């Protein structure tokens, strides 16, 4: 089956009957909803690039399962090179959409579930891996969009799932039947769920004895009975409903998250990939985290490219671009962004093969990559606000600009370099506003902070992945506590 | 005349006939406009504190002109202690409103114009100072709210006012008449103009030969003919129009900026405080900057107090407050905020008397204070986003919460610590969202960056205010290039 | 009795019979030892400034005990102004010596013991305070140099003094006699002990039940029987023994620390100021810490002045001073240094009176000051190394410079701006080397880190000194969890 | 010919007759000089690893010229993988020596000269490339140690070589003869020159018209007539002459730099690789810089491993290792160090082939790598000083420890965790001191700052290597200034 075009992808979404709510109301037609559509467009770009000659090699690959050409987002990483191409693809998509394009969780989840099911089967004699291969083959052939569903609502932090006051704070198995299982709970902060055909449910943390029912991984079509999606608010979301296209900043693209309720949802056995093997929950989580922490070394530098281009443009428009301090700040923005990209590439190149045959990135470097992502974008935003000037947060509305009298005032007084149209300047500032405060600001800030795990999660992994004994041995030898090395020996 | 209560202040605004536009439409009644009113409330708080026993000493003082009790925002600083109290007042107001309360520019402008007019008169034999004293006495007695109007639209940066392609990019005198002057131009990023009775126009930068017409300072009632105000957009501004009070984050308070057009506005001579004395423009600007750079050491720590309190609360609500990394981050937020406050106090205490008799802060320390303000709040925001968690940017809407079915889901699944009501958690997150992305985020970020001058302006002053020769001499003596000090001599 | 001159001070040291070891050998004459003398000179400067007209007001004050003029280092702070002058004095001394001048621990200890003894007496009916006043009157009149001795060797961290494997890891009372007490233990990192007449022993941390014997404060002449001083190594210490005066960087001044052993030392009762009142140990420690954390806002900016002057000079000498990035880095160095100074001043101005009548700085701001001191000097050093260039760590020796053949090569090839003598450049680089790697580097780095408590100590205090309930209440009100404020009420 | 062992390498150095001065005196036997020998040992380690089974694959490779096995330091990079192995080798060497091992400049210079001579020949019809291949074949077969000699003394910065007051401030051709050329000038900050067999002279900056004589590259045996080496001072250099092995910190290893005078040195034509082709100077410099900026992503993380191991050890020794803030700081140190390593790897993997056939790293990422190296090690040092405690700069000397009476005091009082010998603690602290202030501190700080170019050099390259037009186009499209992308098209 041929890879879907962007249009085919969008049309394919119409067939679903989602139980989706936005601002307290059921959304009958999410695809054409002006609040939602930009996020759908961003996902559509992942389909579009598979058909563009220049990006085809990045956006598609040969399936490890079938040898057929598939969209990279549904693929298994057959080599470090596949992971490198992933990073370069994500950067391109960040450049093209200037926001989150929502498919990385699915891609990264697929790869983590693939190897983990293999390991479970090896140890437990189960058959999850074959089931998963079959499901994934279907996904690849139908070219579906898969949403990775990991983050539980978590209740009181630090309390185990089975010890929570409300046992539903983590998704869990409430019934095991002959034909499948029934699960209940909710997944929070679910990126791109409305734009997906299916969701891949995974556990969210290490499970201990007594938490067996929380060890569940499975696949669900988004419109399965019992699923309710509640669309999250975003900064400036209502601007999408306004006339005009300036104030929204990024008119075409965006993202979204939902709170996804799973209220006694039935899953047939052929879609169940983990069911009670609690000791593998952390394996799955850590592998997923490794893949996903790498991802941020792709998308965020891509978004940075747009942000840096916008900053350079507003500096051009006011005539300060050549000022040494402006050049210096822009160089710093580039430096920080490329640092992230380099680290995303490094952990890919240093990747290793799993028992199941797909590859995973170097985990230490992947954590290091993501950890810098929790810092550098914030500094880039700060520098962007510096160069943008105070007007970033005080622009008149597009309606003012279109007003016969006010429009003339605005055109006259907000013109800086004479031959740059005032509207161009306002558009560029609106884009910067949307990226630093508005609709897509969360993609560059809060998502950089918490996506793929909050900073503390990386610190814990960095500590754990380090062989401190080896380092201490080096120090003891140099210090002469252990016998010093004889260089002539 | 008694100091106005908050209510009297708000009522007094109704008498004005502003030419104000919002989203392309004339606003007949700004006081009761739901977009605008929160900003009026924030200013009203400056009147309210003058009547509260606990804050009266901070919010009022004895007039240097009349000996009468006046609102501190309309006062001249008679001592370092007056400037210390200013900083403490601003912190209180930041705590009470969690946003910009808009009156500092006026207060700081009054003090700068006071001493500068004195100096002009001394040198030029003019009589600006007496005029200004008279006007200020009126302002104090009527307890008016004065908006400081400094920032010109500036056109192409680096080009002198008189050399701009459009000569109106800086406000200037277009006609000198027997009864007064006519001015034209526009002031950008005008904080609180809609909530003011009068504006105090000042030049915005150093003026060179040929720029004489740009050397103009004067006072204008906000509804003077020829003035048009265009209300600036703010992140999430439309949330103020929604039902409910959660999603807006800070329901009561806010701020605003306008683009203020001055289209051939007439100013009678008794309201003109500078008219062509171009060499005093920079004096006025630097003095104003000194006062205003200090101010940020008051308001931002006040806003930080709310932000830190909100962060601690959401940490309480999820049960992570005692985690060592959370405590550490909160301690860091406090540290950064108190650093700013300490510097705001230091430059006040180290203040010196002007020739005219009022006091100004130590300029080097005031610049240092503001320069840190362009950095630390951003790091505080980053830490706040860290602790807040991903839900900061994915909360369901208040309408979802009020929905009979969805509401139950939300109450169940977004409850963390069992005995904390979910709505409380959502409210606190909404407040954090408004402070980091939404309606008041600009007050803590972009305004910290650009208010009272962008970072480069402080660096220039820091360099200029440093006696580098003295430092080099110290180094030469220690190094033995100059004769070394004999400690026994 | 008149205040000692520098020379009188140095001569007065000769009368002591110290039991001092340096490099494993007993030092008979510390005053004229070339390794030690620079540190004595630095202390002598504190005497010298008391006689210089320009600094007399800073360096002396009226005794709170006698009304007589005394050296500020032996004085009680009678007002916030006294603490402000202290900070300004310390800055001057940092400028003049470019190193630690060693007397702050004593001054800060005196003030902390003064108020703590008062409080003990109030509660316990003891008479420590009168004893202390008497001793201090003697110290003031004799114009002695007092070393504050607080830091114990501590043994295993986290274990209480009385629970240590070796009970002597904290100084403690081993015998209570009719005529006094006997103490044992050791004080580590003792700054300036060799240059002092007496040491003021204080406990170092909070004491719990069972630790009573560790609650001891007293005064001891430095040559009391049982005291052994072991002089600590410093970077490049041997350069002081070389011919010439260039390579050492700072020829005249330096500092030192000793490990001070107290091996069954007898203290007569009239010199005992705490003896078993364990609950006051933490009071004394925290008050001392408040004073001493403030101190760093004086001395470090003073040393920074020299460092910045040196950096500007080497930039002059190579012709890069006007480069925008060099100017920018120097402006940053100034900014960071003045930030520290501002905070040192702020906590002084905001000081409050103790029950005993002397003043202490605002504790929160004092901790904030010191906490920045654990960061900013490191960044200043980094910037200094940037501007200094690679030659900072590769200069030929002074002996090479004096060599008939090599000297010509060096003069020729290390000359940058033609009219600056090569030797001047080498001297300035040597100074920078000594401040960043060499003899005085520790004063600007490790001492900034650990003096007056390591960073974690400040974070703990910052957390403790914050009224978080008040902040959370503010947030709850703004968020509408508590009833929102009615601005018109 | 077989690869040299460490011993054979050291013996081979004895054959040279260097004109080397140290502290103003001629050094007859540098190999056995205690000041110099540790640096020789560090280079020897590069020979030793070629013979260790575990490191052989990193330390050797197949020659691109002859197919023979050669030491990697003398090799051309035949693939990205060769550059990856380089980085991993450098990390190993940093771990083993804890200092600069001095051979990277040679290796990186060889690769830069190789491709540049190829390009010159292509354009100018010269035969430098064949000469260079011949020389390099000789170097590989003899397994020589080559010192890269680039940094000129530079005179007044910003003035072209031919415009300097002293024309010798940059090495230049003073005579062209039939049999070769004569050059004059000096190279500053020459790492490892005393331990090398030959030096590879290269120009140091972009050359303009009139600077032709400064465009010179050639190879010289270190003992060529006319060469004088002046050994640079290092922090604590005299400790190498002391008895004992503790206080020096790193007893076995170190590095050095010399000021290398070239006073009318004759170079035969077969060793001349550039002679007047001034437009290729910048090509050579930038290629070299690319290679060398990458190198720091290897050696510095290697040194960091030792530093982190030492810090963890001293934390063990005092019992604070498990404290959350200590763990957090160590995690941060690891994070920063691995960030550098990841970037070193990334630019290697992303390398590209030159026309001449060897590979060079991705230049943008190489600059990004080095630019972080100018920052992160300083923060790592700051954290190390934090954890080390004040004792870092106050330890008694080894002589005190060996003293019969003092030694017992020291053993007793500086013991922290009871079962850790005090001497172990002192040794580890001495190592930390040497890495942060002492003998090898410059390798981790000043060298990180200036080696391979000062920070500004990287910023310039980062700016130049960025396609800003592409970024601005992205921004214009998203903002709707250029036609927005139609996602369905």
């Amino acid at each position: 089956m041929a890879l879907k075009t962007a249009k085919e992808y969008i049309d394919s979404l119409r067939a679903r009957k989602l139980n989706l709510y936005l601002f307290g109301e059921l959304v009958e037609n999410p695809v054409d909803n002006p609040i939602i559509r930009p996020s759908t467009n961003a996902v559509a770009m992942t389909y579009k690039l598979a058909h563009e000659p220049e990006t085809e090699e990045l956006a598609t690959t040969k399936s490890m399962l079938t040898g057929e050409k598939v969209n990279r987002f549904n693929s298994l990483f057959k080599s470090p090179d596949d992971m490198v191409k992933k990073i370069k693809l994500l950067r391109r998509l960040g450049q093209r959409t200037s926001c989150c394009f929502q498919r990385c969780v699915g891609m990264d989840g697929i790869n983590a579930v693939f190897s983990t099911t293999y390991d479970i089967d090896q140890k437990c004699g189960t058959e999850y891996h074959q089931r998963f291969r079959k499901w994934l083959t279907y996904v690849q052939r139908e070219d579906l969009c898969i949403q990775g569903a990991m983050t539980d609502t978590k209740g009181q932090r630090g309390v185990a799932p089975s010890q929570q006051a409300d046992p539903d704070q983590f998704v869990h198995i409430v019934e095991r039947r002959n034909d499948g299982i029934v699960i209940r709970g909710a997944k929070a902060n679910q990126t791109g769920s409305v734009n997906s055909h299916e969701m891949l449910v995974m556990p969210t943390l290490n499970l201990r004895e007594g938490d067996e029912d929380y060890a569940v991984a499975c696949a669900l079509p988004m419109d399965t009975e019992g699923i309710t999606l509640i669309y999250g608010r975003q900064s400036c979301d209502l601007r999408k409903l306004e006339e005009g296209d300036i104030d929204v900043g990024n008119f075409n693209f965006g993202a979204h998250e939902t709170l996804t309720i799973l209220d006694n949802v039935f899953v047939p056995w052929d879609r169940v990939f983990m069911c009670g093997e609690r000791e593998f929950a952390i394996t799955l989580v850590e592998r997923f985290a490794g893949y996903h922490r790498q991802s941020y070394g792709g998308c965020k530098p891509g978004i940075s490219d747009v942000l840096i281009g916008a900053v350079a443009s507003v500096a051009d428009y006011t005539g300060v671009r050549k000022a040494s301090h402006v050049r210096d700040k822009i160089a710093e923005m580039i430096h920080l962004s490329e640092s992230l990209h380099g680290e995303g590439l490094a952990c890919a190149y240093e990747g290793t093969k799993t028992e199941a045959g797909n590859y995973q990135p170097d985990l230490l470097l992947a954590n290091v990559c993501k950890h810098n992502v929790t810092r550098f974008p914030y500094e880039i935003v700060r520098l962007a606000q510096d160069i943008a000037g105070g007007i970033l947060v005080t622009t008149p509305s597009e309606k003012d600009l279109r007003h016969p009298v006010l429009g003339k005032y605005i055109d006259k007084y907000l013109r800086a370099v004479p031959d740059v149209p005032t509207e161009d300047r306002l558009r560029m500032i609106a884009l910067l506003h949307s990226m630093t405060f508005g609709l897509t600001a969360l993609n560059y800030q809060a998502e950089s902070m918490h996506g793929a795990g909050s900073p503390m999660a990386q610190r814990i992994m960095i500590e754990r992945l380090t062989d401190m004994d080896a380092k201490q041995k080096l120090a003891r030898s140099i210090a002469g506590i252990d016998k010093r090395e004889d260089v002539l020996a």
Side-chain angles (χ1 to χ4, degrees), chain A:
Chain A
M1 187 175 170
L3 294 177
K4 285 186 168 62
T5 63
K7 188 172 180 315
E8 287 165 351
Y9 155 68
I10 289 177
D11 288 343
S12 75
L13 296 177
R14 298 184 192 276
R16 303 165 311 161
K17 293 283 290 178
L18 297 185
N19 191 39
L20 164 68
Y21 288 84
L22 170 64
F23 300 156
E25 290 177 20
L26 187 69
V27 181
E28 299 285 352
N29 176 6
V31 171
D32 299 310
N33 183 297
I35 295 272
I36 300 170
R37 181 55 179 266
S39 77
T40 317
N41 287 342
V43 176
M45 189 62 79
T46 67
Y47 286 87
K48 186 164 186 255
L49 292 200
H51 295 275
E52 290 191 4
E54 199 202 347
T55 53
E56 186 185 355
E57 195 195 334
L58 295 179
T60 66
T61 189
K62 198 173 279 193
S63 169
M64 189 173 136
L65 300 180
T66 64
E68 294 164 14
K69 181 175 166 182
V70 295
N71 192 298
R72 186 170 300 279
F73 282 101
N74 288 336
S75 75
L76 299 164
F77 304 123
K78 305 176 302 294
S79 64
D81 183 62
D82 263 352
M83 295 188 291
V84 168
K85 289 211 172 71
K86 163 190 159 180
I87 286 302
K88 293 184 176 179
L89 171 63
L90 304 192
R91 184 159 186 172
R92 289 293 182 95
L93 283 161
Q95 292 175 338
R96 296 282 280 270
T97 64
S98 192
C99 66
C100 175
F101 32 89
Q102 310 152 51
R103 286 190 74 184
C104 300
V105 187
M107 167 172 54
D108 296 334
I110 283 169
N111 276 276
V113 173
F114 181 80
S115 64
T116 305
T117 51
Y118 182 91
D119 291 356
I120 301 177
D121 290 0
Q122 290 295 311
K123 171 133 183 256
C124 307
T126 43
E127 53 188 31
Y128 298 128
H129 190 64
Q130 280 311 316
R131 282 183 199 164
F132 184 76
R133 292 175 79 105
K134 198 172 151 195
W135 173 78
L136 182 57
T137 303
Y138 158 75
V139 165
Q140 289 181 340
R141 287 193 169 148
E142 297 292 324
D143 201 15
L144 301 180
C145 175
I146 304 303
Q147 187 238 326
M150 179 170 271
T151 307
D152 286 290
T153 50
K154 291 185 192 155
Q156 180 161 353
R157 271 56 171 181
V159 176
S162 57
Q163 304 304 311
Q164 291 280 340
D166 178 349
D168 299 340
Q169 289 292 1
F170 292 79
V171 170
H172 61 124
I173 305 159
V174 291
E175 192 184 351
R176 288 173 169 81
R177 296 171 14 185
N178 279 348
D179 51 351
I181 59 175
V182 178
I183 62 175
R184 188 160 64 226
K187 293 288 188 181
N189 312 337
Q190 295 299 293
T191 302
S193 48
V194 179
N195 297 322
S196 301
H197 301 93
E198 300 217 358
M199 66 195 288
L200 178 59
V201 175
M202 298 173 279
T204 203
L205 82 180
N206 188 26
L207 296 174
R208 301 211 178 71
E209 218 181 311
D211 291 336
E212 287 74 11
D213 288 344
Y214 294 84
V216 59
C218 59
L220 293 169
M222 291 308 302
D223 53 2
T224 302
E225 194 179 336
I227 298 179
T228 301
L229 307 174
I230 308 177
Y231 202 91
R233 292 225 66 169
Q234 293 181 320
S235 181
C236 300
D237 41 17
L238 298 183
R239 290 198 187 183
K240 292 181 191 162
L241 301 177
E242 298 179 11
E243 274 179 72
D245 71 334
I246 296 180
D247 295 3
V248 72
N250 185 343
F251 182 75
N252 270 356
F253 301 109
H256 71 253
E257 277 83 24
T258 62
L259 173 63
T260 300
I261 313 293
L262 301 168
D263 196 353
N264 293 331
V265 176
F266 172 72
V267 196
W269 282 116
D270 60 350
R271 286 173 160 276
V272 175
F273 311 129
M274 178 189 286
C275 183
E277 296 80 7
R278 70 151 184 85
E279 65 274 29
F280 287 93
I282 188 62
T283 310
L284 177 49
V285 168
E286 286 188 7
R287 288 185 188 169
F288 170 77
Y291 288 119
H292 204 45
R293 285 172 195 171
Q294 179 207 21
S295 294
Y296 286 79
C299 62
K300 298 315 172 208
I303 299 179
S304 302
D305 289 328
V306 180
L307 187 59
I308 293 165
V311 162
S313 297
V314 297
D316 278 341
Y317 297 172
T318 51
V320 300
R321 175 75 177 286
K322 302 290 181 206
S324 67
H325 76 98
V326 171
R327 288 176 55 194
D328 195 62
K329 285 162 189 165
I330 291 177
E332 179 69 14
M333 294 168 81
I334 298 167
H335 166 66
L336 294 173
S337 172
E338 298 295 340
S339 291
L340 303 179
H341 191 57
E343 289 157 8
L345 292 170
C347 64
Y349 277 118
E350 291 279 304
T352 51
K353 201 171 187 171
T354 70
E355 292 290 313
N358 64 343
Y359 275 73
Q360 58 182 17
D362 180 272
L363 289 184
L364 179 55
L365 291 176
N367 276 280
V368 161
C369 173
K370 173 64 214 307
H371 206 48
N372 281 325
V373 171
T374 69
R375 302 173 177 182
F376 294 176
Y378 287 84
E379 176 65 4
I380 293 173
V381 161
R382 195 183 74 84
L383 293 168
Q385 289 189 22
D386 184 348
I387 299 174
I391 197 175
L392 178 67
V393 291
T394 69
T395 47
S397 66
E398 183 171 0
K399 282 180 189 156
D400 294 314
L401 183 68
R402 304 303 179 208
H403 184 281
V405 176
L406 303 178
K408 279 175 199 152
Y409 279 139
I410 291 167
D411 185 55
K412 173 184 174 69
Y413 283 113
L414 296 186
R415 186 171 295 253
V417 169
D419 60 354
V420 175
T422 300
E423 184 174 320
D424 286 7
R425 189 177 171 215
L426 289 175
R427 283 186 178 277
M428 204 53 95
I429 290 166
L431 171 58
L432 275 176
H433 186 273
S434 75
M435 296 181 82
T436 55
F437 291 106
L439 261 159
T440 57
L442 80 114
N443 295 143
Y444 199 64
Q445 296 180 57
E447 189 178 288
S448 291
M449 183 62 80
H450 295 291
S454 304
M456 200 55 200
Q458 289 114 53
R459 291 181 95 76
I460 290 168
M461 288 303 289
I462 288 168
E463 191 180 28
R464 197 188 313 163
L465 291 164
T466 295
D467 182 354
M468 190 56 86
D469 285 344
K471 285 180 164 55
Q472 290 188 268
K473 205 174 159 201
L474 292 169
R476 284 200 310 272
S477 167
I478 298 276
I481 296 172
D482 292 352
K483 191 175 171 320
R484 282 210 181 84
E485 181 158 27
D486 178 358
V487 77
L488 299 182

